[in-house]
Amino acid sequence: MRVGFLTSFLAATLLLPGCASITTEPLPAGLTNQPPAERADLVSQLTRFSDWQLQGKLAVRQPEDSATAVINQWRQRGEHYQLVLSSAFLGMGRTELEGIPGFLELTMPDGETYRSSQPQQLIEAATGWTFPVNALVWWVRGLAVPGEDARLLFNKDRRLAVLNQAGWEIRYDAWHPFVDGQPHLPSRITALKGEKRLRLVITGWQSRNES
């Protein structure tokens, strides 16, 4: 556990309010940057799908470290998220991340809790990993973060295949019809930034708003 880095980070912030990237020019065979006609309706439907939970597995690989974890539960209600992870993520045992954009409460396996207004920096200080939790709330549904530049590529099945945003390349490797009344949702995602890689394998999605 990177206690020294974490302590230094908290002292500063509390004083303050594996795969090669896909070449997009020219476009790879089988991909297009022209969205399908139904894309606008799909984005609207997925944006409204904001009360959900999922389970799966997470793998992180970067030059100085690699690890895997079970996502026991990722609960999302609007902008509020709660992730319960176990195994190798942040050390052995149960780890919880709970927050909203601009705030994170991180509970370590030993029960210690840390809070910060800089979620990604707190996670990186604790683990050394780049883990863009605020953006993943959108990317995991196949959506770009609103208000930020993004480039999208679609495959021959007219599904989103690659999303480039904020220096990350997000590949949608598989989709599945998890939830009745909702579009297909991602079941396998790979996110790349330089030599850093995150891989999500989602084994279950559920709607938390059945009314």
Side-chain angles (χ1 to χ4, degrees):
M1 192 181 303
R2 295 163 59 91
V3 176
F5 287 95
L6 182 57
T7 302
S8 300
F9 171 79
L10 290 170
T13 58
L14 291 178
L15 296 175
L16 302 175
C19 299
S21 294
I22 293 174
T23 301
T24 56
E25 292 293 350
L27 291 176
L31 297 183
T32 177
N33 56 11
Q34 297 301 312
E38 65 273 18
R39 178 65 185 173
D41 289 340
L42 181 63
V43 168
S44 178
Q45 190 172 0
L46 289 172
T47 300
R48 293 194 304 271
F49 182 55
S50 59
D51 195 352
W52 47 264
Q53 64 185 38
L54 64 77
Q55 303 82 36
K57 295 181 180 180
L58 168 70
V60 177
R61 178 181 294 176
Q62 52 191 47
E64 61 274 16
D65 194 14
S66 63
T68 60
V70 174
I71 304 174
N72 298 305
Q73 194 169 69
W74 179 346
R75 293 181 176 179
Q76 191 74 35
R77 185 180 291 275
E79 293 188 325
H80 179 265
Y81 59 83
Q82 182 182 29
L83 281 79
V84 180
L85 309 169
S86 61
S87 189
F89 190 83
L90 302 179
M92 297 301 293
R94 177 187 173 101
T95 300
E96 295 188 29
L97 294 84
E98 183 170 3
I100 57 175
F103 178 79
L104 172 66
E105 180 176 282
L106 173 66
T107 303
M108 306 291 280
D110 61 5
E112 290 291 330
T113 298
Y114 303 93
R115 300 174 180 86
S116 174
S117 60
Q118 300 180 45
Q120 183 171 313
Q121 287 87 337
L122 175 57
I123 295 171
E124 191 162 352
T127 66
W129 297 352
T130 302
F131 187 75
V133 62
N134 291 335
L136 280 171
V137 169
W138 295 90
W139 295 343
V140 76
R141 285 175 287 165
L143 297 171
V145 179
E148 298 184 13
D149 290 341
R151 183 170 190 189
L152 287 69
L153 300 179
F154 302 88
N155 61 25
K156 63 182 181 180
D157 296 322
R158 308 197 319 190
R159 298 195 189 282
L160 180 62
V162 181
L163 190 163
N164 292 101
Q165 189 170 44
W168 285 87
E169 176 181 288
I170 302 91
R171 300 180 186 176
Y172 294 89
D173 304 314
W175 298 76
H176 190 75
F178 286 105
V179 180
D180 290 343
Q182 293 294 337
H184 283 56
L185 292 162
S187 60
R188 195 164 66 248
I189 302 170
T190 302
L192 308 167
K193 186 175 185 179
E195 296 183 6
K196 299 177 174 66
R197 183 176 74 178
L198 300 174
R199 176 163 290 173
L200 282 168
V201 176
I202 300 167
T203 56
W205 281 89
Q206 299 86 36
S207 172
R208 299 185 63 218
N209 183 9
E210 301 295 341
S211 60

